[in-house]
Amino acid sequence: MNANPDAEPRTNQGFFTQAFRFGLVGIGGAAVDYGSLTLILALGTWPEPARILSFTIGSTAVYLVNRRWTFTSSRSTREVVALTAVLALTFALVAGVNALALRLLPEGPWQITLAWAISQAIATTFNFLAQRTIVFRQRSTNPAT
């Protein structure tokens, strides 16, 4: 881990490049997340704790790829602290939205999947914007900006 909080990332990619890469990585992460949810539910876990655990597994996989490819991380102490805060907020968001969706959606064979999709969409949007603006923000080399 780089102890220099002012370390520059190796590249300065634009919003759309980062969003595209985040989306590609997110598709793989969603597959990991939903696959682990399905497996955890098959083991007999209740839907709410299963969703929290699947989120943790999927988020870990996505972070490991995003920090190298999407955001080209400097791996500073500031970054780790910011990431921890963002993931804690995302965790609360995904758990809360999933629980609310499970209570509001009609019971049926698609209830858990639809709750997962709703919580995933909201959390992914928040997570991208927060990681781009807080965790992996680009430091300007121009003092006027």
Side-chain angles (χ1 to χ4, degrees), residues 37-50:
L37 175 67
T38 302
L39 178 62
I40 295 164
L41 287 169
L43 295 173
T45 306
W46 293 336
E48 289 88 349

Side-chain angles (χ1 to χ4, degrees), residues 119-141:
S119 66
Q120 188 72 11
I122 291 170
T124 297
T125 302
F126 169 79
N127 198 20
F128 171 70
L129 294 173
Q131 285 194 36
R132 184 175 199 282
T133 60
I134 299 168
V135 179
F136 300 110
R137 72 176 183 243
Q138 302 293 322
R139 296 196 183 271
S140 174
T141 56

